[in-house]
Amino acid sequence: MTEKDSPQPRRFIAGAVCPRCGVMDRIVVSGDGVTRACIDCGFADERPGDPPAPLSTRVSRASARRVETPSDVVRLIDPNDEHKS
């Protein structure tokens, strides 16, 4: 058996909880990081592909970024200052 034919080593993920059985510290991740599995209940899944597109909100819309808020000058006054302007 050559190195290429051998399966990739798996790594345990400390503190990970299985989404199916709820047992902690029993999740392993494949060497390439694509799949995870629980060694207790047999749960397995793959890393999702592309992340979902962000939802359009009033903050993320381009029109919301075009609004400019006018700024005002702020004067800081020291109440202990004897010289009042």
Side-chain angles (χ1 to χ4, degrees):
M1 185 178 218
T2 65
E3 198 173 299
K4 189 175 182 179
D5 295 334
S6 66
Q8 292 183 339
R10 299 183 307 174
R11 297 176 290 134
F12 278 94
I13 305 301
V17 177
C18 175
R20 182 186 294 165
C21 67
V23 178
M24 185 184 290
D25 294 336
R26 305 301 280 173
I27 297 288
V28 292
V29 176
S30 63
D32 58 4
V34 174
T35 59
R36 67 178 175 167
C38 176
I39 62 172
D40 276 354
C41 70
F43 167 82
D45 70 347
E46 292 186 357
R47 178 177 289 187
D50 296 329
L55 297 173
S56 177
T57 64
R58 64 183 177 85
V59 176
S60 65
R61 287 190 309 252
S63 62
R65 289 190 297 267
R66 281 188 245 128
V67 175
E68 300 243 351
T69 305
S71 60
D72 293 327
V73 176
V74 177
R75 286 184 47 192
L76 301 177
I77 301 173
D78 184 3
N80 298 325
D81 188 11
E82 295 177 10
H83 306 311
K84 296 189 179 185
S85 319

